[in-house]
Amino acid sequence: MHQQPHYTYYAEDFPLEERPRRFLEAFAAILRYSNYGPALDTYVHVSAKCSLCTAACPVYQATGDPQDIPCHRSELLLRVYRRYFTLAGALKARFLDSFHLSDGYIDTMAEAFYRCTACKRCLASCPMGIDHALITHLARWILSEIGIVPKALLVSVREQLEGETRNTSAIPTVAMRDTCEFLEEELDEIYPGAGIKFPIDVQGSEYVFFPAVSDYLLEADTLMGNAAMLHAIGASWTIGSENFDGIDYGLFYSDRMWERIIKAQVAEIKRLGGRVMLIGECGHASRSAKEGMQNFIPEEERLPVVNIMELAHAGFVSGELKLIENAIEQRTTYHDPCNIARKGWIVEQPRVLLRHICSDFVEMTPNGVDNYCCGGGGGTVSIDEIREFRVMVGGETKAEQIKATGAHFVVTPCANCKKQVSEIIEDFKLDVVRTGLHDLFLQAIIMPDGQKPEARRVFE
Amino acid sequence: MSEWLLWARGPMFRFAMLLMVLGVIRLVVLSLLNLVAVSRMAGDKRIPIATALRGTAGWLFPRWGALTGHPVLTLASMIFHLAMIITPIFLGAHILLWQRGLGLSWPALAQPLADALTLAGIVAGVVLIVQRIFARASRELSRLQDYLLPVLITIIFATGYLAMHPGSDPLSYEAVMLIHVVCGNLLLFALPFSKLSHVMLFPITRLVSEMGWHLAPDAGQRVAATLHKEDQPI
């Protein structure tokens, strides 16, 4: 009798019979119906094993374990592809004692593909242009179809798609409403009489707002800053009571789930008659919505996807959003979330705003499209049982980067990065305050009638 | 000996060249057909040619940024590539062959420059081989072809240099020439079947990577149906 294998992360028990056969069946089905084949075909030819990616990968740099080299990790899956899905591999297997897929090999993949944070930094270092994050993405999907998924991700998606609350943190709608009412009262102390609201289920609003749902539990200041900014620019926006979670863990482990989640989100926007999908301060939610919209929603139903920092930036540039110059005097630095920065989507916008409101804004090195992952990317931040590896190993580079800036505030406009950076600060005992961009806005927004924020508690 | 040389320069070369050209055409045609298929299946039908071209162009020229990570490796592979692209095409002795075969000719590289480039290619080749053997990360990644190809190419450079300088040649001219031509032919053979195929696939790879994220709608549903999981809870 086989024993259930134990990975560094918790996984629910999965069937152990004939795992290699079922892995290959899932792989074949995915190749048949999705678009990964051409990429794998090309990669098995051109992969040069040049080792340049070793200088780019923060995980390998921290562990120094050859297993963590991006090219090595991708080869794990490419080897399976070559053996079972190419003619050359099939012929080689006839004549030589070649590789075959075993239970142990599947376990190796199950570990390796969850050490990668899918930060995509290695793509720019690969002379051949191989996207190792794409391989990680595909490998995790195949693994999930035979039941190998970190439990933390699985239960979140289960609650979001099949649970009563329809969000990853299982927050009942009534609790969300209470939180919003409480935050409205708080906002009334910062901007007395301004009447800043969290509109819920307002039909026909232009923007339907999807923050990472964990913001309702953990990031009150970010949400208040969001509402204040939207109020200041006079945006027509609403929160949908039936689906108010921007998180889409499908991006981290399964295209099947990715598609179901984005479809449920779009259905909520349709129910409310909204026209734009507005994502809060969250990297993966922004990317999964933007790419998911293009990939999975029929062309005639597609809606624009906007990150709230883009909206703030556009408002600031057009003059609708007025911000107090140099409102923040302490030194401030900015951490780029990989999912919005790597392709150059959102890099300059927050910096324009920060340079205006901060008198001492400094950059980390490297930054922007070349930034280092916080160490918690690719869903790993949700997996608490790997905290030590994720923070002390994966997060070490980030800790050193932050320390080198000498900043008081580190702005991390992403729910994943926020949790990870908080834990980095805690575990490395850094003397830094982690905050979101909109949190700082609460000290900087000038309302259209000229009202400035009341002095409030300084961040602890 | 001279009959072997005639064979290597005649039938063997023609066969290698034919195989190389057909193999490369097959690869490129299949890759392009693949991309058309991706675009047809994908929800996002755009073909991001501009992004792919930018990425490709960036790697056609020396990347000084990459030097900070792996200075020796980057420099050596840069020189290796330069020597490999320039000498087969612009060496005077090769142009004579081109002229004989195709009736085309073009200005040749000055001989001292060609010599320097060949020697630099040999040094770079040796550096790359040594690096692959002694750098732990490279060694862990390496397959058989990763060792054989640089060795083969370095032999071609070395025998080419000796053939041009018979005075410093310990072997007979014909022996050196035979090794040079046979190894050159082997390289042509290997091109479509090894990582050397990046010669032709290089401009396509980045496009493939970009298009790789253009996923097919309903793929998840169909995969679930195929695996008999459509009614299973998550």
Side-chain angles (χ1 to χ4, degrees), chain A residues 54-74:
Chain A
T54 54
C57 177
V59 177
Y60 172 70
Q61 283 178 1
T63 66
D65 183 344
Q67 304 285 334
D68 288 325
I69 300 169
C71 203
H72 190 280
R73 188 189 314 113
S74 295

Side-chain angles (χ1 to χ4, degrees), chain B residues 173-188:
Chain B
Y173 172 79
E174 284 200 337
V176 164
M177 208 52 189
L178 183 63
I179 300 172
H180 185 70
V181 176
V182 168
C183 287
N185 289 343
L186 287 179
L187 198 66
L188 292 177

Side-chain angles (χ1 to χ4, degrees), chain A residues 394-447:
Chain A
E396 194 182 346
T397 315
K398 189 50 66 180
E400 279 161 15
Q401 268 190 303
I402 295 172
K403 214 178 346 182
T405 62
H408 176 71
F409 287 127
V410 50
V411 178
T412 60
C414 166
N416 279 255
C417 308
K418 274 173 182 157
K419 178 166 184 273
Q420 168 79 359
V421 171
S422 291
E423 291 173 0
I424 287 175
I425 290 170
E426 194 179 315
D427 292 359
F428 285 94
K429 301 186 173 49
L430 302 182
D431 188 20
V432 190
V433 176
R434 190 276 292 148
T435 174
L437 178 67
H438 284 78
D439 312 36
L440 295 183
F441 281 178
L442 289 177
Q443 301 180 41
I445 293 176
I446 307 170
M447 289 297 158

Side-chain angles (χ1 to χ4, degrees), chain B residues 141-163:
Chain B
L141 289 172
S142 297
R143 304 153 298 184
L144 188 60
Q145 60 161 306
D146 299 314
Y147 294 108
L148 291 185
L149 289 172
V151 169
L152 192 66
I153 293 165
T154 309
I155 291 175
I156 296 173
F157 279 138
T159 49
Y161 184 84
L162 289 179

